[in-house]
Amino acid sequence: MFRALLQLAFLFATVLVTPWSRAQSAGAVTAADLNRQSVELTRAEPVRARQLAAEALKLAEADKDGAQQAMAHVNLGRSALLLGDYPEAIRSFQTGVVLARQQAEPVQIAVAMESLAVVLDRTGLQDQSLNLHREALTIFERANEWQRAAQVQVNLGNLYDGIGQKEESRAHYLRALATLDRIGADKGRGSIYNNLSQLDSSPEQSTQSLEMLDRAMHHYRQENNQIGLGLAWRNRATILTRLGRYGEATAAVDEAQAIADATSHRLGLSAAHEARAELLLAQVLGATPTSLSQSLLGGAGRELDSAIAIARELGEDNRIERLLRMQAEWAEMSGEPAVALDRHKQAEALEAVRERQDSEQRLVALSAQFQSERQQLDIARLGEAAARQTELLDHTRMQRNWTVVGSVLLALLLLLAGSLVHTRNRLLSAERAQNQALQSAFAQAEQARRSAEEDRRINGELLTLAAHDLHGALGMVVGAAERMLGSGQLGIDSRQQVASIANTANEISEVIGNLVAITALDRDSPALQQTRFDLIQLLDDLVQQWQGRAVGKRLRLTLDVGSIQDGPAWIVGDRIQIAEALDQLIGNAIKFSLPNRRIEVRLVLDPALARIEVHDEGPGLTDADRRRAFGRFQRLSARPTGGERSTGIGLALVKRIVDLHGGEVGFAPSTFGPGACFYIALQRPDQQTP
């Protein structure tokens, strides 16, 4: 009978301890459907798309489906972006990135990053946008998401075009085409060729630009993209006008206007009127009879009036500003100086409003980004607290269940020995009190650790934010100095002073960059982007980058890879960080070498190690230098030979990077006799083709 009662007690305990099973909710499926509908309606009906995304978010949160929550936040951000609510778009995209990271979904992470990069670019935060574009591109390429990777390349091309870096823009557009070639895809080629045609407006490149437009129109026709086709015709008319081929330009404008009328594309119609006005004004310059000139001017005036009216209807302030300036030019050619002055004033007023709005928008975006980051931090803290409370509740429930079991067992044991019950109860009480004390101590220690980590993270973010602001200010100083130097209006003394200002600003910017880099590497878990890359190619790129500085100081900088010139030297590590370490060593050799000396970068390989040596004919190292060479803020006995600034951080940064890669950094005698040799030794992977 006792055995039967014991089995009954065990069965009762099993029922109490085992949680109730629940059927899987259908909410996740519904949330996925709503998210898909939101994506389909985003461009056509952004308000409805936002409503669907909000409903999907509620269902996903109820079902605790992190993947669908992340997608819903991305869809909310896309709708907000199209509706012009940039702060809300930033908050939604950042939340999407955080949730996607929690789900360890690389493609979702990259989608959210790319969306956030687009809105940051539109709000003037190009540096942050550029970093996010690059990170998203890396993820898409690793996941073989080549169509998405091509779109990121296009976005990078647009970003570089917007900041005036035409060659970088061209390179990314060409990489996008190569990616589409790789997967045999045609979608998107028309826009890429159209963008390429607008990068160079010089007459020498006009033939190539027209060829690009021919390709663009071919793909637009294949895609039945009438809007894009109209844009290509307008661009073609502009190029032909610059070349003086007015008949062909007129035909191109007619095509663009016909497409705009057929598709009811008001913006395209305004652009067609603008192109025709530009064509007529160009013809005025070559018109001989006064009557013909007046006729052309009259036609140009009417086209400009139509273009401005449509632009005002659409609220296109940037286009209105450009058209007003054209109208001022038209008024000057028509002999109406008062009208020209009025249009210039209107254009300048619009420009001032736009600049103020851009500045306010940038500030709002920065504020939204900061608030979103703080909100995510608060959410993470609440999540951790909720997890601890849930764990404590489960523990309490378990204790309660086992207490019931213990009561049943105690009832059975009372039949056998009452004294054992009293002893067992006393031991259980003591153990419970000890567990509670240990839990309290562990909780306090964990809270202290988290608080210290948060303080360290916030300090690092503040330093990064301050460095970003200082970089921007210093960039403005350098830009102003370079414009003054290029104006040709300064005397010799003034040019020397302005050049000194520019050099000092660049040096301060370098110091700030090193401080931020070494601070980031000092964190508990620095994020190294481990990739497999060719060390020879990296060294060749760095030597080429430093050749200009070396030639300026009359130094001979060479690369020696010995007998391994016919093949790559693979290595695994963070390519950017390793490049930074090598860049510091080469830069130091140039900085401390006198003119007419040699500097040699040498690569020595064996099956297990890759050793990179930088030899110079500089002053070498003293015993004191050797003891403190890799300390922070330690300036050695040698002094820069070209007036450069020595921060005392570079070698410390090199050592930190190499330590994170498990390598070795040190110095040895230079093979040139006098001078020094600094080296970095890194572990090599198994020698296989990647």
Side-chain angles (χ1 to χ4, degrees), residues 73-96:
H73 278 290
V74 171
N75 290 338
L76 285 170
R78 289 170 175 166
S79 300
L81 178 60
L82 288 175
L83 294 171
D85 189 352
Y86 292 155
E88 179 61 29
I90 290 173
R91 286 189 289 269
S92 297
F93 288 141
Q94 285 186 326
T95 304

Side-chain angles (χ1 to χ4, degrees), residues 294-315:
Q294 292 300 321
S295 174
L296 293 172
L297 283 172
R302 289 189 294 274
E303 295 293 337
L304 286 172
D305 289 339
S306 299
I308 292 174
I310 297 173
R312 291 190 189 279
E313 171 192 331
L314 299 175

Side-chain angles (χ1 to χ4, degrees), residues 56-258:
L57 179 60
K58 290 180 181 179
L59 291 173
E61 288 176 343
D63 201 59
K64 297 181 179 180
D65 189 335
Q68 291 303 322
Q69 289 181 50
M71 181 58 68
H73 278 290
V74 171
N75 290 338
L76 285 170
R78 289 170 175 166
S79 300
L81 178 60
L82 288 175
L83 294 171
D85 189 352
Y86 292 155
E88 179 61 29
I90 290 173
R91 286 189 289 269
S92 297
F93 288 141
Q94 285 186 326
T95 304
V97 171
V98 171
L99 291 172
R101 288 189 188 280
Q102 292 175 356
Q103 300 301 311
E105 292 285 347
V107 174
Q108 271 196 341
I109 294 171
V111 169
M113 281 182 175
E114 180 63 12
S115 301
L116 180 58
V118 171
V119 69
L120 290 178
D121 182 24
R122 294 192 183 182
T123 53
L125 303 177
Q126 279 81 15
D127 290 342
Q128 299 179 46
S129 175
L130 184 60
N131 292 333
L132 287 170
H133 277 309
R134 288 172 174 169
E135 191 170 351
L137 178 61
T138 300
I139 294 174
F140 284 142
E141 289 177 343
R142 289 177 178 173
N144 292 327
E145 291 281 344
W146 299 111
Q147 188 74 49
R148 295 180 188 270
Q151 183 58 52
V152 178
Q153 293 283 14
V154 172
N155 290 341
L156 281 167
N158 296 339
L159 188 153
Y160 279 114
D161 186 24
I163 60 178
Q165 297 188 25
K166 302 298 183 182
E167 291 306 316
E168 283 289 341
S169 176
R170 188 191 311 279
H172 283 288
Y173 287 146
L174 293 176
R175 289 173 192 162
L177 289 173
T179 301
L180 294 177
D181 289 338
R182 177 174 185 167
I183 59 176
D186 288 330
K187 184 179 180 181
R189 290 178 183 269
S191 297
I192 298 173
Y193 284 123
N194 195 21
N195 293 344
L196 282 168
S197 73
Q198 302 303 299
L199 289 179
D200 195 337
S201 60
S202 64
E204 295 79 7
Q205 296 296 325
S206 296
T207 301
Q208 184 177 358
S209 297
L210 290 173
E211 291 176 356
M212 290 294 177
L213 284 173
D214 288 338
R215 296 182 186 179
M217 288 190 284
H218 169 74
H219 288 286
Y220 283 143
R221 291 189 183 98
Q222 284 188 331
E223 299 170 8
N224 195 26
N225 184 350
Q226 294 299 308
I227 303 297
L229 186 60
L231 174 62
W233 277 115
R234 291 193 298 276
N235 292 336
R236 186 179 185 85
T238 300
I239 295 174
L240 291 170
T241 298
R242 287 199 300 266
L243 294 174
R245 293 157 62 175
Y246 300 136
E248 296 177 66
T250 300
V253 173
D254 291 341
E255 289 285 351
Q257 188 164 351

Side-chain angles (χ1 to χ4, degrees), residues 523-558:
R523 294 174 183 167
D524 290 343
S525 301
L528 293 179
Q529 300 296 324
Q530 298 281 359
T531 58
R532 186 178 184 133
F533 61 92
D534 183 8
L535 190 55
I536 295 177
Q537 183 62 53
L538 174 60
L539 290 173
D540 186 67
D541 291 344
L542 290 173
V543 169
Q544 292 300 323
Q545 291 172 14
W546 280 102
Q547 281 294 352
R549 183 73 64 85
V551 171
K553 293 187 69 173
R554 300 198 305 276
L555 297 172
R556 180 186 176 191
L557 175 61
T558 59

Side-chain angles (χ1 to χ4, degrees), residues 234 253 256-258 260 266-278 303 307 319:
R234 291 193 298 276
V253 173
Q257 188 164 351
R266 302 290 290 165
L267 185 60
L269 185 58
S270 176
H273 284 303
E274 178 184 356
R276 193 180 297 279
E278 183 181 7
E303 295 293 337
R319 182 175 293 276

Side-chain angles (χ1 to χ4, degrees), residues 441-485:
F442 287 152
Q444 292 176 0
E446 179 65 13
Q447 182 63 31
R449 184 185 67 81
R450 293 181 183 277
S451 178
E453 288 180 352
E454 179 59 15
D455 290 342
R456 185 163 58 252
R457 189 191 68 79
I458 291 175
N459 288 337
E461 290 180 351
L462 289 175
L463 176 60
T464 302
L465 184 60
H468 180 272
D469 291 342
L470 286 174
H471 269 301
L474 290 171
M476 294 176 63
V477 171
V478 173
E482 289 177 350
R483 286 194 297 274
M484 292 174 69
L485 290 172

